Amino acid sequence: MTPEKIVENHKKYVLQSWSKQGNLNPIPVAKADGIYFYDFDGNRYTDMSSQLVNLNLGYGNKAIGDAIKAQVDKFCFVGPSYATEAKSTLAEMIINLLPDSFGKVFFTNAGADANENAVKIARMFTGRNKVFSRYRSYHGSSFGAGNLTGEPRRYPLEPGIPGFVKFFDPYVYREAIDFASEEEATKFYLTKLREQIIYEGPDSVAAIVMETITGSNGVIIPPKGYLPGVRTI
Ligand SMILES: Cc1ncc(COP(=O)(O)O)c(C=O)c1O
């Protein structure tokens, strides 16, 4: 297929997410290797974002390709009630990297359904319904994760799911208040969060969902002590 035809088909048949469909102009990608991808004219692009952080180990990573091929040759899929070497080995590796409070891994397809399931588990475990998340956040765009999301990409889902409560990030750089120190900022934001939880009804809160460092909404690093403070609350 020619690059022109690839782009033409894309524009005509592919519903490209988060985009005005009339203005699409995608680069047709011919090949990729390591940190680079190439178009059909031989132009080389350095991929500074690892394709939405999905390819942190690089394009064409041989170890990953070989492992995928080996598994496909054995079997591609078995249902969740069957044990497989790949699944049980990976779960053990992940748990061994985590603090002791983590017991098991629930495998999902992507971030959005991981978050959907985390909310369901929190609600079932606590018997409570409210879920706090922050305005400057993106947690996915499926219905539940899209309701967790705080930034404008949640608007199409409104009026939204009852019990999804938003609070403000500690965005010290843009805050109207001139904090003397990170600790002072932390105290301010934790006080506000605590107050909001009290007024929402502390016994109704099942979970607080946060990006530890806000990603696509500004790379906001929390001030010192903020994350442990939220956990304490
Ligand atoms: C912080 C964060 N959470 C969740 C998601 C949703 O993940 P996925 O697109 O894999 O569903 C994203 C995706 O960009 C994300 O950046």
Side-chain angles (χ1 to χ4, degrees):
M1 199 183 264
T2 64
E4 292 77 20
K5 181 68 176 156
I6 293 172
V7 173
E8 185 190 318
N9 276 16
H10 180 102
K11 289 164 79 161
K12 194 166 173 194
Y13 299 115
V14 176
L15 185 67
Q16 186 179 310
S17 57
W18 306 125
S19 311
K20 283 182 184 161
Q21 302 302 304
N23 292 333
L24 302 178
N25 189 23
I27 298 170
V29 177
K31 60 177 185 171
D33 183 33
I35 62 165
Y36 304 112
F37 64 87
Y38 300 80
D39 64 21
F40 285 79
D41 296 324
N43 293 312
R44 189 180 76 174
Y45 300 79
T46 306
D47 188 345
M48 305 296 282
S49 67
S50 305
Q51 296 297 333
L52 302 177
V53 217
N54 285 303
L55 293 173
N56 294 323
L57 299 176
Y59 295 99
N61 186 301
K62 192 166 167 1
I64 295 174
D66 288 348
I68 292 170
K69 283 177 211 146
Q71 184 61 49
V72 167
D73 286 342
K74 273 194 245 171
F75 52 89
C76 286
F77 175 79
V78 290
S81 58
Y82 298 92
T84 72
E85 184 184 349
K87 192 161 58 176
S88 59
T89 306
L90 179 59
E92 183 187 25
M93 286 167 73
I94 292 170
I95 289 298
N96 285 341
L97 290 170
L98 294 171
D100 288 346
S101 55
F102 288 81
K104 285 189 161 198
V105 178
F106 183 59
F107 289 107
T108 62
N109 292 312
D113 58 325
N115 288 333
E116 302 251 341
N117 282 287
V119 166
K120 282 162 64 181
I121 290 167
R123 282 183 161 180
M124 286 189 284
F125 181 75
T126 60
R128 301 168 173 187
N129 74 87
K130 286 193 180 170
V131 182
F132 273 51
S133 60
R134 301 188 302 195
Y135 281 108
R136 287 190 177 84
S137 72
Y138 180 72
H139 296 294
S141 52
S142 53
F143 202 71
N147 271 267
L148 278 179
T149 291
E151 44 103 312
R153 280 183 279 183
R154 80 167 196 279
Y155 294 167
L157 306 176
E158 291 192 327
I161 302 172
F164 281 62
V165 179
K166 299 291 175 296
F167 66 106
F168 279 104
D169 311 56
Y171 196 9
V172 178
Y173 180 67
R174 292 269 180 219
E175 190 58 72
I177 304 164
D178 206 2
F179 297 112
S181 65
E182 284 196 39
E183 286 79 3
E184 196 186 292
T186 291
K187 193 173 164 205
F188 171 79
Y189 290 109
L190 291 179
T191 303
K192 285 286 161 203
L193 175 59
R194 190 168 177 278
E195 197 180 4
Q196 193 176 353
I197 289 171
I198 289 170
Y199 275 84
E200 286 291 336
D203 292 339
S204 67
V205 182
I208 298 176
V209 178
M210 294 190 306
E211 297 164 79
T212 47
I213 293 176
T214 302
S216 54
N217 286 281
V219 190
I220 303 166
I221 299 169
K224 221 177 281 170
Y226 176 80
L227 292 174
V230 173
R231 184 171 285 286
T232 302
I233 288 174

